[in-house]
Amino acid sequence: MELFMLYFTYSRQNDNKIDEIKHRLCLILHYLCPQNYSLVMKKSILMLLGVMLICSCTSKQEQATKAPIRVKTEVVQTATSTNGQTYVGIVEECEATAVSFTSMGVVKRMLVNEGQAVAKGQLIAEMDDTQARNLLSGAEAQMAQANDALERYKMLHDAGSLPEVQWVDIQSKVAQAKSQLEVAKKNLADCRLVAPVSGIVGKRLVGAGETAMPSQAVVSILDISTVKVKVAIPEAEISGISANTSSTIKVEAVNGTFSGGKIEKGVQADALTHTYDIRINVANGERKLLPGMVASVLFAATQSQHTGQLAVPVTAVQRKADGSLFVWTISGDSTAHRTAVTTGETAGNRIIITDGISDGNRIVTEGYQKLSENTKVIF
């Protein structure tokens, strides 16, 4: 029984051990049963053949039930060429508004966080208003006193008992008290910081308990309903770009491609790089694009041209030990096959295929590390 188990194990791991096991089996049977060696040997060989058949069936069943491998694929298409130029740009907000208090004081509460959407007129922060309320109370008392004096002096003025100079003086004091009252009300209202525009809170620069200075930004509010992509253009190429030049913008961070709008051209060159900054307006209704993202900008020519060549991702082309190149193609029954190819020039992250595959073939672009010939795949 031990020998059968050894045979079962070795037959699945290393076929070279089978002859050794058969030889050992013959020696043991000849030693144990010298008289009936021939009969026993026939029975043993039949049992070995049965074990081999079982192993073979088990192996085939395991292969048949092997789960397919998930891969990413791409349908091969004819490459398209545009005579445009590609540049790297940075996404910027359409407008940035720095919001600050108009007076000095200690911030009592911060009511917004970075990334939060705010509406125009929404309360952002509050400053300690103790001093402002005290000043307002004093101004109200002065106003009441001035009004009372005005009523008293008016009776004398109407009776002709008050010199005109004193009457003008009391009217002036009433006006001054009224002005101070308005200033005190404004100072109290300024202790509440509200959003002057709608947008997204970009940065929160002051926290509760800190002292805010006049004109010191407390938060910045960004308008990203439309964004701008800033691109530096060499001086030799700036003349080829106008306000209406069409552009395609690809942002890897959001895995998206966007159409560029109107272009704003700068007229002052950078002294070191001799480049001109342009800004391309891009609609951002879903707010996917955020300030600081890196973008690839293609300024297309008036018309795209088909090259008639097939292009695939560079990473899809693999190299065998003998140096030949191949790609994994997917047949109609969802099985993977090595297909030898001949390559041409590279264009960015893609490479031209001159022979081996046809337009419409499906190739594996990711997940090919676990593939072997005729492997079942899902995509």
Side-chain angles (χ1 to χ4, degrees):
M1 190 61 185
E2 246 182 282
L3 289 172
F4 292 141
M5 293 303 296
L6 280 171
Y7 177 81
F8 179 77
T9 302
Y10 280 110
S11 64
R12 301 191 65 182
Q13 297 180 355
N14 193 341
D15 292 337
N16 295 330
K17 299 292 183 178
I18 295 176
D19 293 336
E20 179 184 348
I21 295 175
K22 286 181 179 179
H23 179 68
R24 291 171 60 186
L25 179 62
C26 291
L27 291 177
I28 293 173
L29 292 176
H30 189 272
Y31 175 76
L32 294 177
C33 309
Q35 300 172 346
N36 299 322
Y37 170 74
S38 178
L39 179 61
V40 174
M41 188 61 189
K42 289 181 181 179
K43 291 182 179 180
S44 300
I45 290 175
L46 288 175
M47 293 180 68
L48 283 173
L49 291 174
V51 172
M52 290 174 64
L53 181 61
I54 293 172
C55 293
S56 176
C57 293
T58 303
S59 178
K60 290 181 179 179
Q61 288 177 357
E62 287 179 354
Q63 291 180 357
T65 59
K66 186 177 180 180
I69 296 174
R70 180 172 293 278
V71 295
K72 288 187 178 181
T73 64
E74 177 182 304
V75 176
V76 179
Q77 296 178 345
T78 303
T80 300
S81 174
T82 61
N83 295 322
Q85 295 290 332
T86 303
Y87 304 88
V88 175
I90 299 294
V91 178
E92 295 181 344
E93 66 277 1
C94 181
E95 294 288 345
T97 304
V99 186
S100 61
F101 288 105
T102 57
S103 59
M104 184 179 70
V106 177
V107 178
K108 183 167 64 175
R109 288 196 304 166
M110 288 295 298
L111 304 176
V112 296
N113 296 310
E114 294 183 359
Q116 179 179 338
V118 295
K120 183 178 179 179
Q122 180 177 336
L123 183 62
I124 294 176
E126 286 184 332
M127 183 186 290
D128 186 2
D129 59 0
T130 303
Q131 184 177 1
R133 289 187 179 279
N134 291 337
L135 292 175
L136 178 60
S137 297
E140 289 174 342
Q142 289 181 0
M143 187 72 232
Q145 183 180 9
N147 286 332
D148 181 68
L150 179 64
E151 292 180 2
R152 293 176 183 274
Y153 279 100
K154 186 176 183 304
M155 295 174 59
L156 296 175
H157 180 266
D158 292 343
S161 302
L162 183 69
E164 191 67 25
V165 175
Q166 291 186 359
W167 175 245
V168 173
D169 183 60
I170 191 61
Q171 285 182 321
S172 177
K173 289 182 178 179
V174 170
Q176 290 177 5
K178 184 177 181 181
S179 176
Q180 291 176 359
L181 179 61
E182 293 299 326
V183 171
K185 288 181 178 180
K186 179 67 166 56
N187 288 338
L188 180 60
D190 287 344
C191 290
R192 292 167 53 86
L193 187 63
V194 297
V197 294
S198 299
I200 304 294
V201 177
K203 287 187 177 181
R204 201 176 80 163
L205 304 171
V206 176
E210 297 182 23
T211 300
M213 303 299 293
S215 301
Q216 176 191 2
V218 175
V219 297
S220 61
I221 298 178
L222 310 179
D223 178 9
I224 59 172
S225 57
T226 300
V227 296
K228 297 180 180 180
V229 178
K230 178 183 175 183
V231 184
I233 305 297
E235 60 181 9
E237 302 171 11
I238 190 65
S239 61
I241 298 175
S242 66
N244 298 318
T245 300
S246 62
S247 60
T248 302
I249 298 162
K250 185 175 182 181
V251 181
E252 295 290 345
V254 297
N255 194 25
T257 302
F258 307 85
S259 297
K262 188 176 180 180
I263 297 176
E264 303 172 7
K265 289 177 62 175
V267 296
Q268 188 171 359
D270 185 279
L272 296 177
T273 61
H274 296 282
T275 58
Y276 290 83
D277 288 340
I278 68 169
R279 288 174 171 81
I280 308 169
N281 289 275
V282 182
N284 190 32
E286 297 181 3
R287 289 178 168 77
K288 290 183 177 180
L289 300 178
L290 300 177
M293 288 183 174
V294 178
S296 177
V297 181
L298 171 66
F299 293 101
T302 54
Q303 186 174 348
S304 298
Q305 299 177 347
H306 288 281
T307 63
Q309 296 176 312
L310 304 178
V312 301
V314 173
T315 54
V317 180
Q318 305 297 307
R319 187 182 298 274
K320 292 183 180 179
D322 60 3
S324 60
L325 302 177
F326 71 94
V327 296
W328 287 102
T329 57
I330 306 300
S331 60
D333 59 352
S334 297
T335 55
H337 304 279
R338 288 187 181 90
T339 303
V341 294
T342 304
T343 60
E345 297 180 353
T346 58
N349 61 350
R350 303 183 73 82
I351 187 168
I352 301 297
I353 303 297
T354 59
D355 188 32
I357 57 176
S358 305
D359 191 4
N361 289 157
R362 184 177 292 276
I363 63 169
V364 177
T365 57
E366 293 184 30
Y368 45 74
Q369 294 84 353
K370 298 181 180 179
L371 295 181
S372 57
E373 190 65 23
N374 294 320
T375 301
K376 281 281 188 179
V377 299
I378 54 176
F379 50 89

